[in-house]
Amino acid sequence: MARSRSFMTEYECTNHEIRTNRMSGLELLGLNNHSSMACYSYPYMSSLEEGSANDSSLINPYSDHESRDHKKLKRTLSIADSVSSNSSINSSIISRSSSTNSLTTLPRLHFRDHIWTYTQRYLAAEAVEEAAVAMINAEENGAEQEDGTADGMRLVQLLIACAEAVACRDKSHASALLSELRANALVFGSSFQRVASCFVQGLASRLALVQPLGAVGFVPSKLNAKDYALMDKKEEALRLVYEICPHIQFGHFVANSSILEALEGESFVHVVDLGMTLGLPHGDQWQGLIQSLATRAGQPPVSRLRITGVGLCADRLLIIGEELEAYADSLGINLEFSCVESNLENLKPEDIKIFEGEVLVVNSILQLHCVVKESRGALNSVLQMIHELSPKILVLVEQDSSHNGPFFLGRFMEALHYYSAIFDSLDAMLPKYDTRRAKMEQFYFAEEIKNIISCEGPARVERHERVDQWRRRMSRAGFQGAPIKMMAQAKQWLGKNKVCEGYTVVEEKGCLVLGWKSRPIVAASCWKC
């Protein structure tokens, strides 16, 4: 389909729904090299139609934004219905008169809703061309792969149909779809079956929290004894992610390289680590920095190094601090470690002790997205606090994906693409029945997915955003970008650490982005006051 026809009418776009559904399955299954969100919304989002008082049971209560901007949301034909039988294709086409009634409600929407709707139609039309190429390639790979592709597409369609049912609080339909999904989403199956199993957990948790009609707010899940028993497994999974996946180590490498560049010629250094070590049992990042400072040539030795760790578990941080002090002493560096027991939202400038003559740098690895809220006040307060400290640089490493949108279905689709790429990379790194992979997927990535999918309000902390959004936030807070110029070193790092082929590093407006087959995973950036 030509791009000039992308802004089609609802009637025309609905005629392409089945083909676009097929495209979504192919793209998520890795048959298409492009990983855009082209399939994300229009064909799968419920239509905006003329509602009646009886339709109130279909309104999604979870998000204030969704309740305010989409009070006319009505569930249309399920995607699962559109693929149940070839003979039912004609029934999935909405009549022109129904489309006309739907269009008459559009002027009641906000202007931004018009822009959003037409953008999704444009992306859907553009994706049809990509889908055609993907389907041709799939047919050339033999009947066995074709069967797997068909099963995968069915799984994609079931997932999205279930997400729609959950969003509409259709418990009976969602429960039926969840039962079918559980039978097909296998923990030791294909990469998409495994990622689907994590999304099934999130959808089930969200469905369990559905409130009666007329209820206001969101009921957070309560921590029980079973959750405490899982803590050890989660810590082991985090350690495995650090050792096997390059995401966190890449952040540490870029951060340390940027810090070393900022500390060139300095002998009195102070590093503030927000959310120190992410919960890892050792200070791996700072051991690398200490070694680099001890061996740098042509510069004055570091006479004094201070590290301040910020976190909620002071006892653990102090143990790590003792290990770092002993390691630094063995390399002839005087290290002073201190910790501040606080979360980021309650951290104040006076909590960080700064001495005259020291050069201050601030390090944040996968931390600031946790304080991004709907009001934006919490993050602004944290950034203002950091700005008051006047660090020479702030190193920011975050997941590069849009998981903080106000609409549940939008977050669902974005997360499905993002974690499908991660699980695909795990496929390339580990054998099918490797228990390490299962531990990482079920006790680390699945926890992130469940938080994105099933939680709202303060309980939702995995609010990942694109690097462009972080650029705007940092700029509004008074920070200026400090371009990272180490593409050659980053590529050398990939080779030196034998990172799985398929991972790439690209430079984007002064930031370094680690991706899997062109799908961004994490982004590193530097900022100065």
Side-chain angles (χ1 to χ4, degrees):
M1 179 183 300
R3 292 195 182 186
S4 60
R5 298 184 57 198
S6 59
F7 292 95
M8 58 184 68
T9 64
E10 277 195 7
Y11 175 74
E12 292 169 327
C13 196
T14 307
N15 278 310
H16 291 280
E17 179 172 345
I18 296 171
R19 279 189 293 169
T20 310
N21 290 349
R22 179 172 174 81
M23 175 280 306
S24 179
L26 289 167
E27 182 178 290
L28 286 169
L29 289 169
L31 297 176
N32 187 353
N33 289 332
H34 302 285
S35 58
S36 66
M37 284 297 296
C39 65
Y40 147 161
S41 295
Y42 179 72
Y44 302 120
M45 296 293 286
S46 300
S47 297
L48 294 167
E49 297 184 351
E50 187 76 37
S52 64
N54 295 331
D55 294 331
S56 60
S57 64
L58 300 178
I59 298 175
N60 175 18
Y62 295 155
S63 169
D64 292 338
H65 295 278
E66 289 172 285
S67 299
R68 180 171 63 253
D69 294 339
H70 290 273
K71 291 185 178 180
K72 296 294 182 181
L73 183 66
K74 182 177 180 181
R75 191 173 181 277
T76 57
L77 183 65
S78 168
I79 292 168
D81 298 334
S82 69
V83 295
S84 61
S85 172
N86 290 336
S87 62
S88 65
I89 291 179
N90 292 332
S91 64
S92 70
I93 301 177
I94 302 175
S95 66
R96 186 177 296 276
S97 60
S98 174
S99 175
T100 304
N101 291 337
S102 175
L103 287 173
T104 59
T105 65
L106 287 177
R108 302 179 185 178
L109 301 175
H110 296 293
F111 177 75
R112 64 176 178 271
D113 295 311
H114 288 287
I115 299 299
W116 182 85
T117 299
Y118 286 115
T119 299
Q120 303 315 311
R121 294 180 186 179
Y122 174 83
L123 293 175
E126 188 179 43
V128 172
E129 299 178 19
E130 300 174 0
V133 175
M135 286 187 285
I136 291 172
N137 293 337
E139 290 172 358
E140 295 175 352
N141 289 331
E144 182 176 351
Q145 184 169 341
E146 187 175 340
D147 293 339
T149 300
D151 293 340
M153 285 191 297
R154 174 64 175 168
L155 195 57
V156 173
Q157 292 160 345
L158 285 173
L159 270 176
I160 299 170
C162 185
E164 286 184 331
V166 171
C168 295
R169 299 193 305 170
D170 188 345
K171 276 195 168 184
S172 60
H173 187 52
S175 298
L177 291 170
L178 282 172
S179 297
E180 187 172 355
L181 282 165
R182 288 190 179 101
N184 293 280
L186 307 177
V187 175
F188 285 101
S190 66
S191 63
F192 192 76
Q193 285 177 320
R194 300 196 313 274
V195 76
S197 72
C198 299
F199 277 84
V200 168
Q201 296 174 41
L203 289 171
S205 297
R206 188 178 183 92
L207 186 64
L209 296 174
V210 166
Q211 301 180 60
L213 285 175
V216 178
F218 183 81
V219 180
S221 58
K222 296 180 179 179
L223 199 65
N224 52 42
K226 185 178 179 181
D227 294 319
Y228 288 111
L230 291 175
M231 291 304 295
D232 289 341
K233 293 182 178 179
K234 292 179 180 179
E235 290 181 2
E236 181 185 4
L238 172 61
R239 180 182 57 79
L240 289 172
V241 169
Y242 178 77
E243 293 174 353
I244 297 173
C245 298
H247 313 161
I248 300 175
Q249 290 190 48
F250 172 78
H252 287 175
F253 163 74
V254 176
N256 283 358
S257 299
S258 301
I259 291 172
L260 284 171
E261 184 178 342
L263 299 180
E264 188 173 345
E266 303 291 347
S267 59
F268 190 6
V269 178
H270 185 186
V271 178
V272 176
D273 189 4
L274 304 180
M276 184 171 180
T277 75
L278 298 170
L280 291 165
H282 306 289
D284 299 280
Q285 178 181 1
W286 305 125
Q287 288 183 13
L289 180 68
I290 291 169
Q291 184 178 20
S292 298
L293 288 172
T295 57
R296 65 179 184 176
Q299 299 183 46
V302 175
S303 60
R304 188 176 180 185
L305 172 63
R306 298 180 61 220
I307 297 179
T308 299
V310 179
L312 291 175
C313 188
D315 293 339
R316 169 176 286 187
L317 294 183
L318 289 173
I319 293 174
I320 294 174
E322 291 176 358
E323 294 177 355
L324 291 176
E325 287 177 343
Y327 181 74
D329 185 63
S330 67
L331 296 177
I333 292 182
N334 178 25
L335 170 64
E336 298 178 13
F337 181 86
S338 61
C339 74
V340 177
E341 190 171 16
S342 172
N343 59 25
L344 297 186
E345 295 180 56
N346 296 326
L347 188 64
K348 297 177 176 59
E350 52 268 26
D351 294 331
I352 309 296
K353 296 180 180 179
I354 300 177
F355 297 149
E356 184 177 354
E358 69 180 12
V359 176
L360 177 69
V361 297
V362 177
N363 180 77
S364 175
I365 309 292
L366 309 182
Q367 291 296 314
L368 287 187
H369 70 264
C370 296
V371 293
V372 177
K373 309 296 182 184
E374 286 90 347
S375 65
R376 302 180 182 177
L379 179 62
N380 290 341
S381 297
V382 173
L383 293 179
Q384 183 179 2
M385 181 275 302
I386 297 174
H387 199 275
E388 290 181 20
L389 295 175
S390 299
K392 188 169 184 179
I393 63 163
L394 162 63
V395 181
L396 177 65
V397 178
E398 288 290 345
Q399 293 90 340
D400 189 14
S401 193
S402 182
H403 299 153
N404 192 36
F407 304 113
F408 163 67
L409 287 176
R411 293 200 311 271
F412 179 90
M413 290 301 300
E414 181 71 16
L416 189 58
H417 279 284
Y418 179 80
Y419 288 101
S420 293
I422 290 179
F423 279 51
D424 185 47
S425 72
L426 293 174
D427 242 5
M429 288 188 286
L430 295 172
K432 183 175 182 180
Y433 294 103
D434 196 312
T435 56
R436 295 175 299 169
R437 186 175 68 180
K439 289 177 181 178
M440 288 188 290
E441 292 174 349
Q442 295 298 317
F443 296 110
Y444 183 80
F445 294 116
E447 292 302 310
E448 290 186 351
I449 292 170
K450 285 190 286 186
N451 188 267
I452 294 168
I453 299 303
S454 65
C455 295
E456 293 291 352
R460 180 156 60 89
V461 295
E462 300 297 343
R463 296 174 177 266
H464 312 144
E465 294 189 322
R466 294 281 189 191
V467 66
D468 285 339
Q469 181 65 22
W470 280 109
R471 192 176 288 110
R472 288 189 289 269
R473 290 185 183 277
M474 300 300 291
S475 193
R476 286 196 295 263
F479 289 91
Q480 297 178 350
I484 302 176
K485 300 177 181 179
M486 56 178 71
M487 266 295 294
Q489 297 95 310
K491 290 181 178 180
Q492 289 175 3
W493 179 86
L494 288 178
K496 180 180 178 182
N497 289 270
K498 299 180 181 179
V499 176
C500 177
E501 184 179 353
Y503 274 102
T504 58
V505 178
V506 296
E507 185 177 350
E508 182 180 328
K509 298 179 182 179
C511 306
L512 287 186
V513 181
L514 177 72
W516 172 255
K517 295 181 179 178
S518 301
R519 171 76 201 197
I521 302 297
V522 293
S525 57
C526 281
W527 305 89
K528 57 185 179 181
C529 296

